[in-house]
Amino acid sequence: MNIEHLLNKFYEGNSTSEEERFLTEYFLNEENVEERWKEDRQLFRALHDMQIEVPANVSNRLEKTIMQFDVSQKIQPRKQTLYYWISGAAAVVLLCVGLHFFTAQPSPQFMLTDTFSTPEEATLVVEQTLVFISTKLNKGLDIAADAGQEFEKLNQLLNKHFN
């Protein structure tokens, strides 16, 4: 038999148990192994020395465990999967909204612009506004002072009658 062909089949995982037995016997019994197969000889000797016996019902137990694992994977709660999808969609929406506001240019109606063409014109309008506010404030203070005097008179009148 062609040793190189059998070794290739062995390393590819396609060899039969008879071919593997032949390789093991060849490397254990043959003393004059070619130099290129010295490492293979060491491997087969090590494998032969560590012969492991497989328990009789290991195949059934493995199959049962695999089937249980497969069933447990299929029964994953749908609610949990739904929550993952919803949270992922919400994250994408928030990301898109955030990117929109981050990259959007401000509209022209909200941009600040100068109202007056010269500083003198702006100063004049500010003076007029302050005079208007002062006039209205003074008028309100005069009315409040008059009301205060009326309250004083009323207070004195009430004190006269109750004392």
Side-chain angles (χ1 to χ4, degrees):
M1 290 194 140
N2 184 356
I3 301 296
E4 187 172 357
H5 176 70
L6 289 178
L7 281 174
N8 286 336
K9 282 180 72 174
F10 174 76
Y11 286 126
E12 290 173 0
N14 297 327
S15 61
T16 64
S17 56
E18 295 170 5
E19 292 169 334
E20 290 174 15
R21 239 182 272 117
F22 175 79
L23 285 171
T24 303
E25 289 177 19
Y26 173 78
F27 285 119
L28 289 177
N29 297 330
E30 188 69 37
E31 291 298 323
N32 296 325
V33 176
E34 292 183 35
E35 187 65 33
R36 62 182 175 156
W37 291 327
K38 292 280 185 187
E39 291 178 1
D40 297 316
R41 180 180 184 187
Q42 290 174 349
L43 172 70
F44 277 94
R45 284 189 177 192
L47 288 175
H48 178 56
D49 292 342
M50 321 185 316
Q51 286 296 327
I52 301 171
E53 290 192 32
V54 180
N57 61 352
V58 76
S59 169
N60 294 334
R61 289 190 340 217
L62 278 173
E63 186 175 327
K64 184 178 176 183
T65 305
I66 290 170
M67 293 304 287
Q68 285 176 348
F69 179 72
D70 191 35
V71 169
S72 68
Q73 289 292 70
K74 289 180 182 175
I75 302 179
Q76 182 181 11
R78 290 182 185 237
K79 284 184 180 179
Q80 187 177 11
T81 305
L82 182 64
Y83 289 141
Y84 287 142
W85 277 100
I86 289 173
S87 63
V92 168
V93 167
L94 286 174
L95 181 66
C96 290
V97 169
L99 283 174
H100 170 73
F101 283 116
F102 181 72
T103 59
Q105 297 293 326
S107 64
Q109 66 184 3
F110 295 117
M111 302 240 346
L112 298 176
T113 57
D114 287 340
T115 310
F116 303 102
S117 55
T118 63
E120 292 81 18
E121 187 180 348
T123 306
L124 181 64
V125 171
V126 168
E127 278 182 26
Q128 291 172 352
T129 305
L130 290 175
V131 167
F132 175 76
I133 291 172
S134 175
T135 304
K136 295 295 181 181
L137 185 62
N138 287 336
K139 188 186 267 186
L141 289 175
D142 289 343
I143 292 172
D146 290 342
Q149 288 174 0
E150 292 296 320
F151 278 121
E152 277 296 320
K153 288 179 185 175
L154 181 62
N155 195 12
Q156 289 173 0
L157 183 64
L158 287 174
N159 284 336
K160 253 191 206 179
H161 287 291
F162 290 114
N163 285 337

